[in-house]
Amino acid sequence: MRSYNHLMEPLDPAYPEKKFFNLCKLGDARYDHLPFSVRVLLESAIRNCDEFLVKKQDVENILNWKVTQHENVEVPFKPARVILQDFTGVPAVVDFAAMRDAVKRLGGDPKKINPICPADLVIDHSIQVDYNRSPDSLKKNQEMEFVRNQERFEFLKWGSKAFCNMKIIPPGSGIIHQVNLEYLARVVFDQDGCYYPDSLVGTDSHTTMIDGLGVLGWGVGGIEAEAVMLGQPISMVLPEVIGYKLVGNPDDLVTSTDIVLTITKHLRQVGVVGKFVEFFGPGLVQLSIADRATIANMCPEYGATAAFFPVDNVSLQYLQQTGREQEKLNYIEKYLKAIKMFRDFSDASQDPEFSQVVELDLSTVVPCCSGPKRPHDKVSVCDMKKDFECCLCAKTSFKGFQISPEKQNDRLKFTYEGNEFEISHGSVVIAAITSCTNTSNPSVMLGAGLLAKKAIEAGLSVKPYIKTSLSPGSGVVTYYLKESGVMPYLSKLGFDVVGYGCMTCIGNSGPLPDSVVEAITKGDLVAAGVLSGNRNFEGRVHPNTRANYLVSPQLVIAYAIAGTVRIDFEKEPLGVNSDGKQIFLRDIWPTRDELQAVERQYVIPAMFKEVYAKIEKGNENWNSLNAPNDELYPWDQKSTYIKSPPFFDNLTLDLLPPKSIVDAYVLLNLGDSVTTDHISPAGNIARNSPAARYLTGRGLTPREYNSYGSRRGNDAVMARGTFANIRLVNKFLNKQAPQTIHFPSGETLDVFDAAERYIQKGHPTIVLAGKEYGCGSSRDWAAKGPFLLGIKAILAESYERIHRSNLVGMGVIPLEYLPGESASTLGLTGKERYTIIIPEILKPRMTVEVELNTGKSFEAVMRFDTDVELTYFRNGGILNYMIRKMAS
C-alpha cells in the first residue's frame, strides 16, 4: 500500500481508470513556491513512497526544500526511465550478463537480473569519419562501422532479446540525445493506469539536453544507471536551484551556439557544480525548444547537475512539430496544468523561489567561440585572431602553447593530391558540423546550409586537405537540408553526410592525410580543429589538433573557407573570387528572416513521422546480424571485444569489514582538471601502448585495433587503456606521456605496467590530484579502470559529480583535502607512502587520518556523501550490493 494513495484521482472523468497523484491536494503552501525541477522530485517521491526505499520523511524533506537545500539532506529519486549509448551501454549489458552468471553461481535466479525500469539504448558512438568529401562517404563509413563492431553489435542484439524492458535503437539512426528529444521523450508517462512526469538518468553526461523540453534528466555513471535499471532509486543530496533569468532579445547575428557559450562561461564564474539550474524570465519566449536544448546540452560544461526548462506552450508546439499525436499533447497539457507544472514565462507570478537568481540580457550576447582547450573559455569572434596569437606566446596551460616568438609565423609546405599547399600555426585541418548540441537545431543547421549556398554563389571554396564532415543527429536533418535545397552547396564545400552518430565530437574524427600530419609534426605546429560540438579537451578531437574551438555550424563553414583561425572577419576577407573581388563573412551571412522562412516551410511533422516510423526496424546490416538466444550469454574466450569481467569472481554472500589502506605507493601525481579522457581515453589505441601489445598478442594487426571506446566490453583492453592518454601530465615526469615512475625500481614505465608490478608485489596504490578531478564525459571505465589497476583511493582537491559517484560505485575511496589544503600546501611530493585509516564505524563525509612514512600526517574528507553510498562501499561497490540482494 502506497502512503499517498489518497491523492490519486482521475485526470478525466470520462476515463476513471487513468489516474494521477494530485500534488495540489497536499494542501501545503510550500508546494507553490518550489522550483519546478524540485516539484518533479517531489512527485516521484510521493508516487513511490513505500516506507522502505522512499519514506514520508523524504517527501517532507523535499517539500521543505527552502530549508533542507542548505543542510546536505539526502533524498531518493526514482527516474521514470534510463537512456544509454553504446560506448557506456555495452559495459552495462556486459555487467548485466556477468551479474546473471554471478547470481546463478550464488544459488539465485539469474532471470532476476533484468531491467525493471524502462531502458533505451541508442547505438551512436561507434561510427568514425574514415571517409569524407564524397557522396558515398555515409555508406562507406557505415560499412566500416559494422566491420569493426560486429561482435559488439551481435552482443547488443543478444541483450535486446535476452532482457525485457530494454529497447535498442540500431546504428545509423542518429545521436542519442537528439533521438531522445525528437522521438523517445514522453514528457508525461501514461503507464499502468497512471500519469506521471517523464524523467530519466543516462550514461552520458549530456543527457541534460532533454531538460530543454521540460523532462528532468541528467548523466550518471554506468554503474549507477544499472542500479536504477534494477529498480533502485538514486540517492542524491537535495540540490540548491539557481534561477537563471533571461531577458531581452538576441541580435540578428547571434546564434543559439553563441548564447550557450556565453551562458557556459557565466555559470562557470557563478559556480553551479552539484546544483540544478532552472531557466525563467520573459527572454525565454524568444528561444525555441531546439535553442533551449542546446543550452541544456552543455550543462556539464558549466558544471551543474541539471539545466531545466519547465514545459510551456513552446514545448507543446515542438511536440506537435516533431509528429507527436494530438491525444498525447492533450493529456500532457491537462496533467501538467493540474499539478502546477506548466509554465507561462511571461507571468512573473508563477516564478518560484530560488536559492539564488542570476540574469543574462540576451541583447548583450555577441558571436563567439570557445577554446582552445576547454569549453568554458569563451572568445568573442572579433577577438579570435588576437586571442589565438596570445595563446601561442603564453606558457603551456589551458590558454597557452609556449611557441617561441621566432617560430610563431613558421609556414610548412606539403603536397596533397598532386598540389602544393602550406600550413602554419592556426591552420584549420578539421572542420566538423557534428554533435547533437547543434545538429538538433534547425535554425543553425539551415543557417549553415544557406551560408554554404551563398559562399558557393560568391565563388568561395574550402581547401581539399581540410577534413570536412557533416554528421547529423538524425535523419530528419538530412531530410530538411535536402528538401530546402541547401545540401548540394554543403557537399560542394566538402560537407557531405558522413554518418549519423557522435563522431568528431568524441574523437571519432578518423585519420588526417599523411602529408598534413607530417607537416604538423615537422613544424611542431599548433593546428586547429573547429567543430559544432560541446567538448574540446586537449587530445580529444584528434591527436594532431592542439587547438580546438567550439563554434556554431555557420562558423565551422566560415573558418573552413578561411583555412585558419587567425582571421578577423570584420577586417579580413574569407577569400577572393575568380573576379578578384574580396568576399567578407558579412556578405554571405544569412538573415534571421531568411532562416525563419525556410524553417517554417521545410521543418514539418511529416518528416519526423516518416523518419521515426522505421527507426526501430534497423537497417540491412543490423537485421542480418546473428545473435544467440541463450538466457546466459555464451562468452567467447577468443573475443577481443566482449569479455566476462573479473569484478564478481571472488564474490561471496558474506560481507567483509572495510580495511585501512596501508603503505600505499602513489601511482600518479596529477594536477587540476584531469578529465575522464585522460583517465579512460575513447579514441585510437596507440601502437606502442599496453593495450596494443595485448591486442597484438591476440593476433590483431594495428588496422584492427579500433578505438578504446569500441572495446569497453573487454576489461583487459580497458585496464591497459587506463591513464593511456598521450596528453597526460604526471608531475613525476617532465613531459606529457601515459607513463609514471615505479618507485621500488626507479624505472619509468607505462602506467599499466607499473600498476601491474605493484599488484604482483601486493602493494596498494593511490592517486594524487588537484581540482575538478574526473571532469568531462561520464565514463564508468574511468572508475573501473583504476579499480583494476589496484588503485584503492584518489586524493583530490575536488571532484566532478558523476565521476565521484562512479568511484564510489566501484569501491574506490574518493578522498578530498580539507578546505584550503592541497598537495602543495601540505608539501606532498608523491614519493611518500600513505596509510589511510578507515575506522569500523563509518559516517557520510567523515574526516579520516592519513599517515605518511615520513612521520607527517594530515586529515582528509572521505567523500561518501550518503548512507546509501556507505552501503555500496561496505559491499565493495554498487553491483556487488545488487548481486547479494538478488541472490539472497
Side-chain angles (χ1 to χ4, degrees), residues 168-344:
I168 292 188
I169 305 295
S173 304
I175 302 175
I176 175 172
H177 307 306
Q178 187 161 342
V179 173
N180 193 18
L181 191 70
E182 294 175 353
Y183 175 66
L184 295 172
R186 283 76 154 176
V187 182
V188 170
F189 263 80
D190 172 11
Q191 190 159 310
D192 300 327
C194 186
Y195 294 108
Y196 52 94
D198 188 4
S199 61
L200 70 152
V201 291
T203 57
D204 188 283
S205 51
H206 295 103
T207 299
T208 52
M209 184 169 180
I210 202 64
D211 291 345
L213 185 57
V215 176
L216 185 64
W218 62 85
V220 296
I223 304 152
E224 199 172 9
E226 289 167 39
V228 175
M229 289 165 70
L230 290 167
Q232 297 299 295
I234 283 177
S235 181
M236 60 184 293
V237 173
L238 200 58
E240 293 182 26
V241 182
I242 306 300
Y244 200 89
K245 188 174 185 179
L246 294 171
V247 299
N249 299 318
D251 183 85
D252 278 357
L253 294 177
V254 165
T255 68
S256 58
T257 314
D258 303 320
I259 294 170
V260 71
L261 295 179
T262 302
I263 289 172
T264 299
K265 181 174 183 179
H266 185 197
L267 285 175
R268 270 282 174 183
Q269 293 168 336
V270 170
V272 293
V273 173
K275 302 173 185 179
F276 284 3
V277 175
E278 186 167 309
F279 291 83
F280 74 110
L284 265 181
V285 180
Q286 310 296 321
L287 302 180
S288 67
I289 292 302
D291 293 336
R292 298 175 192 184
T294 298
I295 294 166
N297 179 283
M298 286 194 71
C299 175
E301 281 65 53
Y302 42 85
T305 300
F308 193 64
F309 292 79
V311 175
D312 68 345
N313 280 320
V314 176
S315 314
L316 295 180
Q317 290 163 13
Y318 176 82
L319 292 173
Q320 189 174 44
Q321 182 191 42
T322 50
R324 266 68 165 213
E325 296 168 8
Q326 188 60 46
E327 181 189 351
K328 290 183 178 178
L329 270 62
N330 292 342
Y331 73 66
I332 287 169
E333 182 175 6
K334 189 169 186 177
Y335 168 72
L336 292 175
K337 284 182 174 177
I339 59 169
K340 296 184 179 180
M341 285 196 199
F342 194 89
R343 272 235 61 172
D344 177 356

Side-chain angles (χ1 to χ4, degrees), residues 541-555:
V541 174
H542 193 280
N544 297 112
T545 57
R546 287 156 68 186
N548 295 284
Y549 288 92
L550 306 181
V551 302
S552 67
Q554 293 98 313
L555 287 176

Side-chain angles (χ1 to χ4, degrees), residues 72 74 224 233-237 801-814 842-845 862-878 881:
N72 213 43
E74 169 195 351
E224 199 172 9
I234 283 177
S235 181
M236 60 184 293
V237 173
R801 177 185 62 84
I802 299 174
H803 185 61
R804 185 200 63 80
S805 170
N806 274 348
L807 291 172
V808 172
M810 285 309 298
V812 177
I813 301 173
L842 301 174
K843 295 179 181 178
R845 283 180 172 259
M862 196 157 58
R863 284 292 310 277
F864 298 121
D865 290 357
T866 65
D867 287 321
V868 171
E869 289 187 347
L870 284 173
T871 299
Y872 296 156
F873 173 63
R874 291 188 189 99
N875 278 271
I878 192 171
Y881 166 75

Side-chain angles (χ1 to χ4, degrees), residues 64-119:
N64 201 30
W65 170 84
K66 187 175 180 180
V67 175
T68 51
Q69 62 172 310
H70 304 298
E71 296 180 346
N72 213 43
V73 170
E74 169 195 351
V75 294
F77 174 53
K78 294 191 81 171
R81 59 190 174 100
V82 174
I83 195 164
L84 312 99
Q85 37 91 337
D86 54 304
F87 267 17
T88 49
V90 165
V93 180
V94 166
D95 287 346
F96 264 64
M99 288 167 75
R100 278 193 170 184
D101 293 341
V103 167
K104 184 174 184 180
R105 190 170 62 249
L106 293 174
D109 179 5
K111 283 185 179 177
K112 284 186 177 180
I113 300 295
N114 207 61
I116 296 166
C117 181

Side-chain angles (χ1 to χ4, degrees), residues 113-124:
I113 300 295
N114 207 61
I116 296 166
C117 181
D120 301 310
L121 192 156
V122 181
I123 302 174
D124 71 339

Side-chain angles (χ1 to χ4, degrees), residues 156 164 193 282 355 366 387 438 452 470 608 691 738 807:
L156 287 174
C164 302
S355 311
V366 297
D387 187 83
N438 284 290
L470 167 58
F608 291 89
L807 291 172

Side-chain angles (χ1 to χ4, degrees), residues 408-641:
Q408 288 173 19
N409 293 307
D410 284 359
R411 306 186 74 83
L412 268 289
K413 290 184 178 181
F414 66 97
T415 301
Y416 177 71
E417 294 183 342
N419 295 307
E420 191 171 84
F421 298 94
E422 62 178 26
I423 55 174
S424 59
H425 295 294
S427 286
V428 172
V429 295
I430 289 178
I433 299 176
T434 183
S435 172
C436 51
T437 311
N438 284 290
T439 67
S440 60
N441 195 327
S443 68
V444 293
M445 295 303 289
L446 287 167
L450 290 172
L451 186 75
K453 181 176 185 289
K454 293 186 175 193
I456 291 294
E457 291 170 346
L460 299 175
S461 62
V462 175
K463 293 181 178 69
Y465 63 81
I466 296 175
K467 188 155 193 181
T468 47
S469 61
L470 167 58
S471 48
S474 80
V476 174
V477 179
T478 308
Y479 203 146
Y480 65 65
L481 289 177
K482 285 181 177 178
E483 288 294 305
S484 62
V486 298
M487 195 67 231
Y489 299 98
L490 286 162
S491 296
K492 284 179 182 176
L493 289 179
F495 290 91
D496 293 280
V497 173
V498 295
Y500 296 97
C502 284
M503 299 179 80
T504 300
C505 192
I506 58 163
N508 287 2
S509 49
L512 290 173
D514 290 342
S515 58
V516 173
V517 172
E518 287 169 14
I520 292 170
T521 306
K522 184 178 178 182
D524 190 27
L525 297 178
V526 180
V530 288
L531 64 153
S532 62
N534 48 40
R535 292 270 164 88
N536 58 342
F537 298 121
E538 195 171 13
R540 178 186 177 94
V541 174
H542 193 280
N544 297 112
T545 57
R546 287 156 68 186
N548 295 284
Y549 288 92
L550 306 181
V551 302
S552 67
Q554 293 98 313
L555 287 176
V556 169
I557 289 177
Y559 281 113
I561 293 170
T564 180
V565 296
R566 294 172 84 170
I567 182 171
D568 183 337
F569 288 128
E570 284 297 311
K571 299 174 183 175
E572 300 172 68
L574 281 176
V576 179
N577 68 13
S578 57
D579 297 328
K581 181 185 176 184
Q582 292 185 332
I583 308 297
F584 287 82
L585 182 57
R586 58 179 173 269
D587 299 330
I588 61 171
W589 193 268
T591 66
R592 188 176 291 267
D593 287 343
E594 285 178 285
L595 279 174
Q596 289 175 344
V598 174
E599 184 173 350
R600 274 194 302 270
Q601 185 175 355
Y602 294 106
V603 185
I604 56 176
M607 288 183 177
F608 291 89
K609 287 180 179 178
E610 183 178 334
V611 168
Y612 284 110
K614 51 195 177 188
I615 191 170
E616 291 176 45
K617 297 175 185 174
N619 51 49
E620 189 179 332
N621 290 327
W622 175 261
N623 294 333
S624 64
L625 290 175
N626 293 315
N629 296 306
D630 309 65
E631 175 186 292
L632 299 177
Y633 185 69
W635 305 99
D636 179 359
Q637 301 304 316
K638 297 177 183 177
S639 174
T640 56
Y641 278 102

